[in-house]
Amino acid sequence: MVNSDYLENLNDAQKQAVLSLEGPLLIVAGAGSGKTKVLTSRIAHIIKTKKAFPNQILAVTFTNKAAKEMHNRVSRILGSSAVGLSWLGTFHSICAKLLRKHAPAVNLKSNFTIIDADDQIRLIKNICKAENIDVKQLAPRYIIAIIDKWKNKGLYPYEVKIKNKDIYERNILPVYKIYQQKLIDLNACDFGDLILHSVKILEKEKDIREIYSKNFKFILVDEYQDTNYIQSRWLNLLAEKNKNICCVGDDDQSIYSWRGAEIKNFLDFDKIYQNTKIIRLEQNYRSTENILTVASSLISNNHNRVGKTLKSTMEEGELIKLNCFKNGKDEAIGVSDEIEKIKKKFSLNNIAILVRAIFQTREFEERFLKIGLPYRILGGIKFYERSEIKDCVAYLRLIYQDKDDLAFERIVNNPKRSIGESTIKIIHEFSKINKLSLENSARKMIVENLIKPKTKIGLSLFLDLISKWRNDLKIKKLNHVKLLQIVLDESGYSSMLKNKKDLENENRLENIKELLSAMKEFDNLESFLDHVSLATSIDQDWEGEKINMMTMHGAKGLEFDVVFLPGWEEGLFPHQKSIEEKGHNGLEEERRLAYVGITRAKKNAIISFSMNRFYQGDWIDSMASRFIEELPEDNLEKNSFSDENNDTFDEFEFNQDIELNEDQKRSPGWIRYQKRIK
């Protein structure tokens, strides 16, 4: 059924955004302000008023889900009139469609293959092998990430300029050249090529550019703050003729610079497109007034923003709770206690715990498992199911018990020791015939000279290390935490993660550090291994009522009745690495991330920090995040659970920053954290 009342359901700003059809338009859409509703109503209005046919509208999203949602909403308004929206889709799907029509312009055939991430890795590995590049030092995933970065900047191999200090990039550029030629030879392209090739065609082929820029009478773009250079350039070329480009987004929610997103596309929109009209959607339909006031006060400390003032359509609501705990374990207990209080009022499905880094889920998982609170990890894997954690546990299991064949198989060639699948298969067969464990079979086969010389060296070293570690545990009575540290060092596992240039390794190392902290809570290796077995025996079941745990990055676009935001401490949030690498811009992006976290909450937001953290087996002092002092006190309910006899908030001054120089501020906690890390 056609909905003819689509304009009547809009507020004044939304209606203005729908009706302003001529010229460039930037819609600054605050969190929960109904941007999807505006976009779909705008498309419907263009078609209904016969300003353009459906196939003359280009509507671009970042995800298939968003594209489908947009199409469904337009269909609900227009019915059969919505048929023909053939250019509504993701950046990649639309570029693929365009590229198939003009593939010869970039030396491809129209039936080219689009390779996925696994194909990319396989191709890069083959190139590295042929060029004698050590993948242990330069991981294929890292090479792909750098190539993607260049493609996002619109650069073919011959256009890349390398700075003298970028040693890794200097080594990767020849790989990029070979990789790109291989793709042409295979009549294939990766996802980055879909947009890059499309842009190059539009830049070089004026006739083609004129066809599309003339055809697209209206261009609409969702989540414009997340676009990178090449996406922005593509849009600019297609808007050349009619200039009717409408971009919707929120600069305060630009949190993906690590994926190539450039906030300046949003901030400089009126410089790129002359006579730009800016409309702000400031009416929020999601959160209470208190939540919005706190979020707005925090984000107002950023300088690089268009600016807006969110107003709630809801009641004032409860004050935002700001809780201080003695340590991370108490913080997990405090969060679980709060959930127990509110679970009768709110569904667990509508409760979320948002962390800055994924390793932070561990303490909450431990607590929830202990008291029987069901949970799910969104966009990630449960702590004890993560591959690096399973590797560490496998080492400990084999040291503890020589008949653990599963553990043996997992780590015998991890890190690489020249022990291939064929050798493991032979050991399996020997084990079956002789009714021995895999480890004892390997030892016997070495003695009987049944292993190839090269493999024998690696296998012997591994078995000798296992024997040595058992001696450390049983004879020397080495602490199980110290034992794992030694195992990681002597096995080469730590070096493998530290030396390998891989974007994921930082998270893996953080998870292992968190594991070492977790182990300190157990008296011995046996009790720890028992705990892990019980923790991993509970399957990740997605059905039913469950608390949601995820990173703040993963929470963007979602909403929950109640949101917990733990770990607001210097070094952790804002994250040390982000500020070290990006300086002031990094700090502003961390603050935008905090803003995203708070605005996921509809009714209640609970922020917390700890005065102490257990880190790699040692207690360290923490300092409250600088973001906490930026929160308006009138909208906060401060609670201290660190010491019943002291008012921690009096002791814990929020104005903690000290002047280092004219343009740099660092809190004492930050300085301590840096020293500790080093």
Side-chain angles (χ1 to χ4, degrees), residues 303-479:
H303 301 298
N304 295 317
R305 59 192 295 259
V306 176
K308 61 184 175 301
T309 305
L310 288 181
K311 303 177 186 70
S312 178
T313 59
M314 302 173 65
E315 72 280 1
E316 188 178 25
E318 294 184 21
L319 296 174
I320 279 55
K321 288 184 180 178
L322 178 58
N323 297 335
C324 173
F325 294 96
K326 184 179 180 181
N327 54 55
K329 190 173 183 178
D330 283 357
E331 185 179 42
I333 293 171
V335 169
S336 68
D337 288 349
E338 188 73 25
I339 292 172
E340 292 284 6
K341 289 178 191 173
I342 63 173
K343 69 181 185 181
K344 289 181 181 177
K345 184 179 178 182
F346 299 104
S347 161
L348 293 182
N349 290 333
N350 270 314
I351 299 173
I353 299 172
L354 309 184
V355 297
R356 174 60 182 86
I358 196 64
F359 77 85
Q360 290 174 261
T361 66
R362 198 272 306 174
E363 281 187 305
F364 296 99
E365 290 188 57
E366 300 271 18
R367 176 63 183 169
F368 294 166
L369 286 169
K370 187 175 182 178
I371 64 174
L373 268 178
Y375 70 94
R376 62 173 73 87
I377 306 286
L378 293 179
I381 303 168
K382 287 188 173 185
F383 184 80
Y384 288 111
E385 294 294 334
R386 295 166 195 169
S387 62
E388 62 279 5
I389 302 301
K390 293 179 80 169
D391 290 342
C392 292
V393 171
Y395 269 107
L396 294 173
R397 278 170 46 186
L398 188 61
I399 293 166
Y400 186 70
Q401 212 263 96
D402 67 0
K403 291 184 173 63
D404 196 329
D405 286 354
L406 292 174
F408 177 92
E409 196 166 3
R410 183 176 184 93
I411 49 107
V412 67
N413 199 40
N414 187 13
K416 301 290 185 191
R417 301 185 179 93
S418 301
I419 305 166
E421 290 296 323
S422 59
T423 302
I424 294 171
K425 188 179 177 182
I426 293 168
I427 296 172
H428 263 288
E429 290 171 354
F430 189 92
S431 165
K432 191 176 179 180
I433 294 168
N434 293 277
K435 297 182 180 179
L436 296 170
S437 68
L438 293 182
E439 182 190 330
N440 289 328
S441 295
R443 293 185 185 279
K444 192 170 177 62
M445 289 173 76
I446 288 171
V447 172
E448 295 178 8
N449 213 22
L450 299 174
I451 303 289
K452 292 178 181 177
K454 186 181 177 182
T455 305
K456 185 177 179 180
I457 295 169
L459 188 57
S460 296
L461 284 170
F462 170 72
L463 293 170
D464 288 347
L465 281 170
I466 293 292
S467 298
K468 186 260 182 189
W469 296 329
R470 282 182 186 140
N471 186 69
D472 288 342
L473 178 68
K474 295 173 183 177
I475 308 300
K476 293 185 178 180
K477 304 293 182 183
L478 206 65
N479 175 281

Side-chain angles (χ1 to χ4, degrees), residues 591-641:
R591 191 177 282 112
R592 291 196 293 271
L593 192 56
Y595 174 84
V596 167
I598 294 170
T599 55
R600 297 312 91 196
K602 294 161 70 175
K603 297 179 181 176
N604 296 97
I606 301 96
I607 299 168
S608 60
F609 64 95
S610 300
M611 296 189 70
N612 299 278
R613 283 278 170 198
F614 209 47
Y615 189 85
Q616 296 191 63
D618 293 312
W619 287 105
I620 58 125
D621 292 333
S622 303
M623 188 73 80
S625 168
R626 68 188 73 187
F627 296 156
I628 288 176
E629 68 184 76
E630 297 172 358
L631 306 177
E633 296 219 9
D634 291 346
N635 303 92
L636 300 178
E637 177 194 312
K638 293 182 177 181
N639 305 292
S640 174
F641 301 94

Side-chain angles (χ1 to χ4, degrees), residues 2 7 45 86 117 119 140 156 177 209 222 283 333 411 431 433 470 480-481 622 635 667 669:
V2 178
L7 290 176
H45 187 66
S86 53
D119 291 329
Y156 279 145
K177 290 175 181 175
R209 182 168 75 249
D222 192 16
Q283 202 74 17
I333 293 171
I411 49 107
S431 165
I433 294 168
R470 282 182 186 140
H480 55 293
V481 180
S622 303
N635 303 92
S667 70

